[in-house]
Amino acid sequence: MAEEKSFKYVIVGGGVAAGYAAREFSKQGLKPGELAIISREPVPPYERPALSKGYINLENKASLPGFYVCAGSGGEKQFPQWYKDNGIELLLDTEIVKADLASKTLVSGTGQVFKYQTLVAATGSSVTRLSDFGVEGADAKNIFYLRELLDADELVTAMNVKANGKAVVVGGGYIGLELSSALKVNNMEVTMVYPEPWCMPRLFTAGIASFYEGFYANKGINIVKGTVAAGFNTNSDGEVTEVILKDGRTLEADIVIVGVGARPIISLFKGQVDEDKGGLKTDAFFRTSVPDVYAVGDIATFPMKLYNEMRRVEHVDHARKSAEQAVKAIKAAEEGNSIPEYDYLPYFYSRAFNLSWQFYGDNVGETVLFGDNDPTSAKPKFGSFWIKDGKLIGAFLEGGNPDENKAIAKAAREQPVVESVEVLAKDGLSFVSNM
Ligand code: FDA
Ligand code: NAD
């Protein structure tokens, strides 16, 4: 039996939030051996967004250590040596399979026991699988999901083996849109299939989506809407050859990529911690209902002060900021101090082809589309505002420059009064740029 290891602080999970939490711990002051990060991934924390962008671009591939945290926010890259220099124990390839919060004990898949005084849970999300919906044949070879580095490595290998072949992308959300672009850039013939009337319905309005659907179609991507993958045909090697759609049609496929959502990984803590909206319920300092246990990143359901509502956010900006907030709160509590409550402004972004959009705020209420959303324009620049109770509360912008993106963020935070929706539509960006 492996010897028991004890740490003052343990972060379980080694993704974005873990990496930023480690940086904050080191900024606040750490003694050697006080902090351990336990991750089932084989590499130190990295900026996960790179996996669906540079990392799978075969011509111009980003690689590690290029996107170790905190590269994504312009910070120092935390190489393995950084953890050593900071006295942080980085336990990789180590999956925690049991957490007993009452005795402050974690157990790994190989039976190693870890004790902690304070735990930061940062286990992120896992992909929703087609088998979760009962889709048959979804275990065929060359059907891929994308969450971790090893998933991306398998995908890169398959794209090389099936070069110039046919790819079907199941799902019209973030993964669907980013991966379709990457596959096309890698010279594959791409078909997207999703059930909704337009892509990314959880954020996009019909007006926003019509731009991206038109742009993708002009790039030669075939879009099949209003149906789902119901099964797969395979060859004698067990490799996928066709996607069978629910409406009876079939699509030829050398590889299939599935992006049908993600679920927070909270099974370790089930029955021990209060939950809310699918995540671990926290306060504005990311404290859970159990003393000395914090939850950050994708798994935290926290008070979104701006909207006076409990929310869970599956995006990188919040993963970074929630981690920093939790560590500041831990350190302040030790010194008998307090810190301000987390006051988060939602920020989501995506990049595909030569496109780039940002969104800030809340996407509820009436919407106004502005600018040039013609997918054939040489330099499209357009956006949308969301208005609720007479105030601008959300803003989306494709093709904005840094100042314009700052301006939409400021507006979403300050929520200016909108006197006339017609005037707002006509003014577009200048409404927020002049604030
Ligand atoms: P994250 O998933 O980063 O890390 C969780 C870690 O915990 C993983 O290393 C996992 O292996 C580990 N773990 C889980 N259970 C464990 C256990 N029992 N024992 C040990 N380790 C365990 N967002 C955005 O705003 N813009 C973007 O462009 C993108 N792009 C993007 C691309 C792709 C491919 C994905 C999958 C996701 C994005 N995101 C994104 C979302 C963003 O990456 C995500 O919200 C953050 O990574 C969440 O950070 P966490 O640290 O919470 O989880
Ligand atoms: P998502 O929620 O963005 O999209 C899921 C999509 O799945 C839906 O839009 C729908 O089109 C589709 N769908 C649902 N059921 C289906 C079915 N049975 N058959 C076919 N399609 C179906 O989730 P995702 O794109 O899988 O992303 C996974 C996670 O990764 C999320 O947490 C997301 O935030 C994160 N991510 C974020 C970014 C970004 O912020 N730029 C990029 C990549 C991934």
Side-chain angles (χ1 to χ4, degrees), residues 1-5 91 94 96 106-114:
M1 174 110 184
E3 113 197 57
E4 185 178 289
K5 287 190 163 189
L91 297 148
T94 306
I96 295 301
L106 306 171
V107 183
S108 78
T110 58
Q112 172 93 52
V113 175
F114 302 98

Side-chain angles (χ1 to χ4, degrees), residues 194-205:
Y194 44 88
E196 298 96 347
W198 65 78
C199 60
M200 190 88 84
R202 71 172 163 136
L203 177 64
F204 290 0
T205 62

Side-chain angles (χ1 to χ4, degrees), residues 13 15-17 40-41 48 52-53 96 124 147-148 298 315-316:
V16 173
R40 67 180 180 200
E41 287 199 78
R48 198 163 305 285
S52 55
K53 303 173 188 72
I96 295 301
R147 183 76 211 176
E148 299 190 350
D298 280 14
H315 291 277
V316 75

Side-chain angles (χ1 to χ4, degrees), residues 49 52-53 125-128 130 133 135 146-147 170-179 193-196 198-202 227-229 258-263 298 313-316 348-351 357:
S52 55
K53 303 173 188 72
S125 301
S126 59
V127 295
T128 305
L130 287 177
F133 305 126
V135 176
L146 182 58
R147 183 76 211 176
V170 178
Y174 285 97
I175 291 283
L177 286 165
E178 292 183 8
L179 267 290
V193 51
Y194 44 88
E196 298 96 347
W198 65 78
C199 60
M200 190 88 84
R202 71 172 163 136
T227 189
V228 293
V258 184
V260 295
R263 293 188 181 140
D298 280 14
V313 173
E314 290 177 3
H315 291 277
V316 75
F348 315 143
Y349 71 90
S350 183
R351 290 192 298 274
W357 61 256

